[in-house]
Amino acid sequence: MLRFIWNTSIRIRTFMRVWMPTNILLDTLRSRRGLKWGVPAMLLAGVYFAIAYWCTTLIASGAPGWLHLVVLVCIYNAFKFLIFGPISLARLIKVRRQERRARRTETLPSDGTSGSPTGHEALPGDEHGPTYLGRTSGARQA
């Protein structure tokens, strides 16, 4: 029984992660390019709160009760965006500090050599190396 519940929750989470628009947008905002848009994305919380308020007024005037679910989803999404704004700002500050630190160490090598790579040497921060996406050099390894 526990295995069934666990597997079902994993499938539901995967479905929500892949197909729900707010989750797709939040995943995009979590990328390096999207971090700068985290604080402006907080404005979407106002839109979600407005939709929730509109649905509650419809419910109060006799609309179907299933709109309560729409209200809950809208409030949940609004809070996701409200919480993500400050988090993205903190992440952006952290990433920019790391980039500035990397740029500083890149321009000032400690061994007195030039900071540019030679030959097929990988660039700093290139964790993929020469076999990225399965591409290898034509030379045979000895």
Side-chain angles (χ1 to χ4, degrees):
M1 183 68 173
L2 183 61
R3 179 181 291 169
F4 173 74
I5 293 171
W6 188 267
N7 289 335
T8 304
S9 68
I10 289 172
R11 286 191 174 91
I12 289 172
R13 180 189 182 279
T14 303
F15 173 79
M16 299 285 277
R17 202 85 187 151
V18 173
W19 293 104
M20 296 297 120
T22 56
N23 292 332
I24 294 169
L25 180 60
L26 284 173
D27 285 341
T28 303
L29 292 173
R30 284 185 191 105
S31 70
R32 171 61 185 98
R33 288 184 3 183
L35 283 176
K36 65 182 175 186
W37 296 103
V39 175
M42 286 177 62
L43 295 174
L44 286 175
V47 174
Y48 277 112
F49 281 131
I51 293 171
Y53 176 74
W54 179 63
C55 287
T56 56
T57 57
L58 288 176
I59 292 169
S61 66
W66 59 265
L67 283 176
H68 288 288
L69 293 175
V70 175
V71 170
L72 287 174
V73 169
C74 286
I75 290 173
Y76 177 70
N77 288 332
F79 279 117
K80 280 197 298 189
F81 281 105
L82 277 178
I83 291 170
F84 184 72
I87 291 172
S88 72
L89 187 62
R91 285 183 178 176
L92 182 63
I93 291 170
K94 179 182 173 184
V95 167
R96 286 193 176 168
R97 281 184 183 164
Q98 289 173 349
E99 289 172 353
R100 188 179 324 127
R101 191 176 307 127
R103 234 180 294 128
R104 209 174 327 140
T105 58
E106 193 174 282
T107 59
L108 299 172
S110 59
D111 59 354
T113 62
S114 68
S116 63
T118 58
H120 293 287
E121 182 181 351
L123 295 173
D126 183 17
E127 61 265 350
H128 302 296
T131 59
Y132 179 57
L133 295 177
R135 297 183 194 120
T136 58
S137 65
R140 299 179 76 191
Q141 300 292 329

